[in-house]
Short mmCIF file of all heavy atoms in Angstrom, two decimals:
data_model
loop_
_atom_site.label_atom_id
_atom_site.label_comp_id
_atom_site.label_asym_id
_atom_site.label_seq_id
_atom_site.Cartn_x
_atom_site.Cartn_y
_atom_site.Cartn_z
N CYS A 51 1.14 -24.05 -24.79
CA CYS A 51 -0.04 -24.86 -24.49
C CYS A 51 -0.81 -25.03 -25.79
O CYS A 51 -1.40 -24.07 -26.30
CB CYS A 51 -0.90 -24.19 -23.44
SG CYS A 51 -2.48 -25.03 -23.13
N ALA A 52 -0.80 -26.24 -26.32
CA ALA A 52 -1.50 -26.54 -27.56
C ALA A 52 -2.88 -27.10 -27.24
O ALA A 52 -3.00 -28.06 -26.48
CB ALA A 52 -0.70 -27.54 -28.38
N ALA A 53 -3.89 -26.48 -27.83
CA ALA A 53 -5.27 -26.89 -27.59
C ALA A 53 -5.82 -27.64 -28.79
O ALA A 53 -5.53 -27.31 -29.93
CB ALA A 53 -6.14 -25.67 -27.29
N SER A 54 -6.65 -28.65 -28.50
CA SER A 54 -7.34 -29.38 -29.57
C SER A 54 -8.73 -29.74 -29.07
O SER A 54 -9.02 -29.69 -27.89
CB SER A 54 -6.56 -30.63 -29.97
OG SER A 54 -6.42 -31.50 -28.86
N GLY A 55 -9.59 -30.12 -30.00
CA GLY A 55 -10.96 -30.44 -29.64
C GLY A 55 -11.88 -29.28 -29.96
O GLY A 55 -11.75 -28.64 -30.98
N SER A 56 -12.79 -29.00 -29.05
CA SER A 56 -13.80 -27.95 -29.26
C SER A 56 -13.25 -26.57 -28.96
O SER A 56 -13.77 -25.84 -28.10
CB SER A 56 -15.03 -28.23 -28.40
OG SER A 56 -15.58 -29.49 -28.71
N ILE A 57 -12.20 -26.21 -29.66
CA ILE A 57 -11.49 -24.96 -29.35
C ILE A 57 -12.34 -23.73 -29.63
O ILE A 57 -12.13 -22.68 -29.03
CB ILE A 57 -10.16 -24.88 -30.11
CG1 ILE A 57 -10.40 -25.02 -31.61
CG2 ILE A 57 -9.19 -25.94 -29.61
CD1 ILE A 57 -9.15 -24.84 -32.44
N PHE A 58 -13.33 -23.86 -30.51
CA PHE A 58 -14.16 -22.71 -30.84
C PHE A 58 -15.05 -22.31 -29.67
O PHE A 58 -15.61 -21.22 -29.66
CB PHE A 58 -15.02 -23.02 -32.06
CG PHE A 58 -15.97 -24.18 -31.87
CD1 PHE A 58 -17.27 -23.98 -31.46
CD2 PHE A 58 -15.54 -25.48 -32.09
CE1 PHE A 58 -18.13 -25.04 -31.28
CE2 PHE A 58 -16.39 -26.55 -31.91
CZ PHE A 58 -17.69 -26.33 -31.50
N LYS A 59 -15.16 -23.17 -28.67
CA LYS A 59 -15.98 -22.88 -27.50
C LYS A 59 -15.19 -22.23 -26.38
O LYS A 59 -15.75 -21.87 -25.34
CB LYS A 59 -16.63 -24.16 -26.97
CG LYS A 59 -17.62 -24.81 -27.96
CD LYS A 59 -18.24 -26.04 -27.35
CE LYS A 59 -19.25 -26.68 -28.31
NZ LYS A 59 -19.86 -27.91 -27.73
N ILE A 60 -13.88 -22.08 -26.55
CA ILE A 60 -13.04 -21.54 -25.49
C ILE A 60 -13.29 -20.04 -25.31
O ILE A 60 -13.19 -19.27 -26.27
CB ILE A 60 -11.55 -21.78 -25.78
CG1 ILE A 60 -11.26 -23.29 -25.79
CG2 ILE A 60 -10.67 -21.08 -24.74
CD1 ILE A 60 -9.83 -23.63 -26.18
N ASN A 61 -13.63 -19.63 -24.09
CA ASN A 61 -13.82 -18.21 -23.79
C ASN A 61 -12.50 -17.52 -23.48
O ASN A 61 -12.23 -16.42 -23.93
CB ASN A 61 -14.76 -18.04 -22.60
CG ASN A 61 -16.15 -18.53 -22.91
OD1 ASN A 61 -16.67 -18.32 -24.01
ND2 ASN A 61 -16.78 -19.19 -21.96
N ALA A 62 -11.69 -18.18 -22.67
CA ALA A 62 -10.41 -17.61 -22.27
C ALA A 62 -9.47 -18.75 -21.92
O ALA A 62 -9.91 -19.88 -21.66
CB ALA A 62 -10.59 -16.69 -21.06
N MET A 63 -8.19 -18.44 -21.92
CA MET A 63 -7.19 -19.42 -21.51
C MET A 63 -6.25 -18.77 -20.51
O MET A 63 -6.11 -17.54 -20.48
CB MET A 63 -6.43 -19.96 -22.71
CG MET A 63 -7.30 -20.77 -23.65
SD MET A 63 -6.39 -21.59 -24.95
CE MET A 63 -5.51 -22.85 -24.00
N GLY A 64 -5.63 -19.61 -19.72
CA GLY A 64 -4.74 -19.05 -18.72
C GLY A 64 -3.67 -20.01 -18.28
O GLY A 64 -3.70 -21.19 -18.62
N TRP A 65 -2.73 -19.44 -17.56
CA TRP A 65 -1.67 -20.23 -16.93
C TRP A 65 -1.81 -20.08 -15.42
O TRP A 65 -2.02 -18.97 -14.91
CB TRP A 65 -0.30 -19.74 -17.38
CG TRP A 65 0.04 -20.09 -18.78
CD1 TRP A 65 -0.11 -19.33 -19.90
CD2 TRP A 65 0.61 -21.33 -19.23
NE1 TRP A 65 0.31 -20.01 -21.01
CE2 TRP A 65 0.77 -21.24 -20.63
CE3 TRP A 65 1.01 -22.51 -18.59
CZ2 TRP A 65 1.30 -22.28 -21.40
CZ3 TRP A 65 1.53 -23.54 -19.35
CH2 TRP A 65 1.67 -23.42 -20.74
N TYR A 66 -1.69 -21.20 -14.75
CA TYR A 66 -1.71 -21.25 -13.30
C TYR A 66 -0.49 -22.02 -12.84
O TYR A 66 0.11 -22.76 -13.62
CB TYR A 66 -2.98 -21.95 -12.81
CG TYR A 66 -4.25 -21.21 -13.14
CD1 TYR A 66 -4.76 -21.20 -14.44
CD2 TYR A 66 -4.94 -20.49 -12.16
CE1 TYR A 66 -5.91 -20.51 -14.75
CE2 TYR A 66 -6.11 -19.80 -12.47
CZ TYR A 66 -6.57 -19.81 -13.76
OH TYR A 66 -7.72 -19.12 -14.07
N ARG A 67 -0.12 -21.85 -11.59
CA ARG A 67 1.03 -22.60 -11.08
C ARG A 67 0.77 -23.05 -9.65
O ARG A 67 -0.01 -22.43 -8.92
CB ARG A 67 2.29 -21.76 -11.15
CG ARG A 67 2.32 -20.54 -10.25
CD ARG A 67 3.56 -19.70 -10.52
NE ARG A 67 3.64 -18.54 -9.63
CZ ARG A 67 4.55 -17.57 -9.75
NH1 ARG A 67 5.47 -17.65 -10.72
NH2 ARG A 67 4.55 -16.56 -8.91
N GLN A 68 1.44 -24.14 -9.30
CA GLN A 68 1.33 -24.67 -7.95
C GLN A 68 2.70 -25.11 -7.48
O GLN A 68 3.32 -26.00 -8.08
CB GLN A 68 0.34 -25.83 -7.88
CG GLN A 68 0.08 -26.31 -6.47
CD GLN A 68 -1.14 -27.20 -6.38
OE1 GLN A 68 -1.60 -27.77 -7.36
NE2 GLN A 68 -1.69 -27.33 -5.17
N ALA A 69 3.17 -24.47 -6.43
CA ALA A 69 4.44 -24.83 -5.82
C ALA A 69 4.18 -25.85 -4.72
O ALA A 69 3.07 -25.93 -4.18
CB ALA A 69 5.11 -23.58 -5.26
N PRO A 70 5.20 -26.63 -4.36
CA PRO A 70 5.02 -27.64 -3.30
C PRO A 70 4.52 -27.02 -2.00
O PRO A 70 5.06 -26.01 -1.54
CB PRO A 70 6.43 -28.21 -3.13
CG PRO A 70 7.08 -28.01 -4.45
CD PRO A 70 6.55 -26.69 -4.95
N GLY A 71 3.46 -27.59 -1.46
CA GLY A 71 2.91 -27.11 -0.20
C GLY A 71 2.09 -25.85 -0.30
O GLY A 71 1.66 -25.30 0.73
N LYS A 72 1.87 -25.37 -1.51
CA LYS A 72 1.10 -24.14 -1.68
C LYS A 72 -0.12 -24.38 -2.55
O LYS A 72 -0.20 -25.37 -3.28
CB LYS A 72 1.98 -23.05 -2.31
CG LYS A 72 3.12 -22.60 -1.43
CD LYS A 72 3.84 -21.41 -2.05
CE LYS A 72 4.94 -20.90 -1.15
NZ LYS A 72 5.63 -19.72 -1.73
N GLN A 73 -1.08 -23.47 -2.46
CA GLN A 73 -2.26 -23.56 -3.29
C GLN A 73 -1.94 -23.12 -4.72
O GLN A 73 -1.01 -22.35 -4.96
CB GLN A 73 -3.38 -22.68 -2.72
CG GLN A 73 -3.98 -23.20 -1.42
CD GLN A 73 -5.19 -22.41 -0.98
OE1 GLN A 73 -5.31 -21.21 -1.28
NE2 GLN A 73 -6.12 -23.05 -0.30
N ARG A 74 -2.73 -23.63 -5.64
CA ARG A 74 -2.60 -23.21 -7.04
C ARG A 74 -2.96 -21.74 -7.15
O ARG A 74 -3.93 -21.29 -6.53
CB ARG A 74 -3.49 -24.06 -7.92
CG ARG A 74 -3.34 -23.78 -9.42
CD ARG A 74 -4.03 -24.86 -10.22
NE ARG A 74 -5.43 -25.00 -9.87
CZ ARG A 74 -6.17 -26.04 -10.21
NH1 ARG A 74 -5.63 -27.06 -10.86
NH2 ARG A 74 -7.44 -26.07 -9.88
N GLU A 75 -2.21 -21.00 -7.95
CA GLU A 75 -2.46 -19.57 -8.10
C GLU A 75 -2.46 -19.18 -9.57
O GLU A 75 -1.80 -19.79 -10.41
CB GLU A 75 -1.40 -18.75 -7.36
CG GLU A 75 0.01 -18.92 -7.87
CD GLU A 75 1.00 -18.00 -7.18
OE1 GLU A 75 0.59 -17.17 -6.34
OE2 GLU A 75 2.21 -18.09 -7.50
N LEU A 76 -3.22 -18.14 -9.84
CA LEU A 76 -3.28 -17.59 -11.18
C LEU A 76 -1.96 -16.93 -11.54
O LEU A 76 -1.37 -16.22 -10.72
CB LEU A 76 -4.40 -16.55 -11.25
CG LEU A 76 -4.44 -15.68 -12.50
CD1 LEU A 76 -4.90 -16.48 -13.70
CD2 LEU A 76 -5.35 -14.47 -12.28
N VAL A 77 -1.51 -17.16 -12.77
CA VAL A 77 -0.33 -16.47 -13.28
C VAL A 77 -0.75 -15.42 -14.30
O VAL A 77 -0.42 -14.24 -14.17
CB VAL A 77 0.66 -17.46 -13.92
CG1 VAL A 77 1.85 -16.70 -14.51
CG2 VAL A 77 1.13 -18.50 -12.90
N ALA A 78 -1.48 -15.85 -15.33
CA ALA A 78 -1.90 -14.92 -16.37
C ALA A 78 -3.07 -15.53 -17.14
O ALA A 78 -3.17 -16.76 -17.24
CB ALA A 78 -0.76 -14.60 -17.33
N THR A 79 -3.92 -14.67 -17.69
CA THR A 79 -5.02 -15.12 -18.53
C THR A 79 -5.11 -14.26 -19.78
O THR A 79 -4.63 -13.11 -19.80
CB THR A 79 -6.37 -15.06 -17.80
OG1 THR A 79 -6.63 -13.70 -17.42
CG2 THR A 79 -6.39 -15.94 -16.57
N ILE A 80 -5.72 -14.82 -20.82
CA ILE A 80 -5.96 -14.09 -22.05
C ILE A 80 -7.33 -14.49 -22.57
O ILE A 80 -7.64 -15.67 -22.65
CB ILE A 80 -4.84 -14.34 -23.08
CG1 ILE A 80 -5.04 -13.45 -24.32
CG2 ILE A 80 -4.74 -15.81 -23.46
CD1 ILE A 80 -3.81 -13.40 -25.22
N THR A 81 -8.14 -13.49 -22.91
CA THR A 81 -9.49 -13.77 -23.39
C THR A 81 -9.48 -14.03 -24.90
O THR A 81 -8.47 -13.83 -25.58
CB THR A 81 -10.42 -12.59 -23.10
OG1 THR A 81 -10.02 -11.47 -23.91
CG2 THR A 81 -10.39 -12.21 -21.63
N ARG A 82 -10.64 -14.43 -25.39
CA ARG A 82 -10.77 -14.64 -26.82
C ARG A 82 -10.47 -13.35 -27.57
O ARG A 82 -9.92 -13.38 -28.67
CB ARG A 82 -12.19 -15.11 -27.14
CG ARG A 82 -12.44 -15.39 -28.61
CD ARG A 82 -13.90 -15.76 -28.84
NE ARG A 82 -14.27 -16.99 -28.18
CZ ARG A 82 -15.50 -17.47 -28.17
NH1 ARG A 82 -16.48 -16.80 -28.76
NH2 ARG A 82 -15.77 -18.61 -27.57
N GLY A 83 -10.81 -12.22 -26.97
CA GLY A 83 -10.57 -10.93 -27.61
C GLY A 83 -9.15 -10.41 -27.44
O GLY A 83 -8.80 -9.38 -28.01
N GLY A 84 -8.35 -11.13 -26.67
CA GLY A 84 -6.96 -10.74 -26.52
C GLY A 84 -6.64 -9.94 -25.27
O GLY A 84 -5.48 -9.55 -25.06
N SER A 85 -7.63 -9.69 -24.42
CA SER A 85 -7.36 -8.98 -23.17
C SER A 85 -6.58 -9.87 -22.23
O SER A 85 -6.86 -11.06 -22.12
CB SER A 85 -8.66 -8.54 -22.52
OG SER A 85 -9.36 -7.64 -23.36
N THR A 86 -5.62 -9.28 -21.55
CA THR A 86 -4.75 -10.06 -20.66
C THR A 86 -4.85 -9.58 -19.22
O THR A 86 -5.23 -8.44 -18.94
CB THR A 86 -3.28 -9.96 -21.11
OG1 THR A 86 -2.89 -8.58 -21.13
CG2 THR A 86 -3.11 -10.55 -22.51
N ASN A 87 -4.50 -10.49 -18.33
CA ASN A 87 -4.50 -10.20 -16.90
C ASN A 87 -3.35 -10.96 -16.28
O ASN A 87 -3.08 -12.10 -16.67
CB ASN A 87 -5.82 -10.63 -16.27
CG ASN A 87 -5.87 -10.32 -14.80
OD1 ASN A 87 -5.65 -9.20 -14.38
ND2 ASN A 87 -6.16 -11.32 -13.98
N TYR A 88 -2.65 -10.31 -15.32
CA TYR A 88 -1.47 -10.93 -14.72
C TYR A 88 -1.53 -10.84 -13.20
O TYR A 88 -2.06 -9.89 -12.63
CB TYR A 88 -0.20 -10.22 -15.18
CG TYR A 88 0.08 -10.33 -16.66
CD1 TYR A 88 -0.37 -9.37 -17.54
CD2 TYR A 88 0.80 -11.42 -17.16
CE1 TYR A 88 -0.12 -9.47 -18.89
CE2 TYR A 88 1.07 -11.53 -18.52
CZ TYR A 88 0.60 -10.55 -19.38
OH TYR A 88 0.86 -10.66 -20.72
N ALA A 89 -0.95 -11.82 -12.56
CA ALA A 89 -0.73 -11.74 -11.13
C ALA A 89 0.30 -10.65 -10.87
O ALA A 89 1.22 -10.44 -11.67
CB ALA A 89 -0.22 -13.07 -10.59
#
């Protein structure tokens, strides 16, 4: 995932997924400080 624009304002980034007929769900996140979280 390549980011451009006001990237200095980003607090955290993450990946989400949505399967057919299902709600979008969190997969993983990473903060500016490098802390991670996973489903």
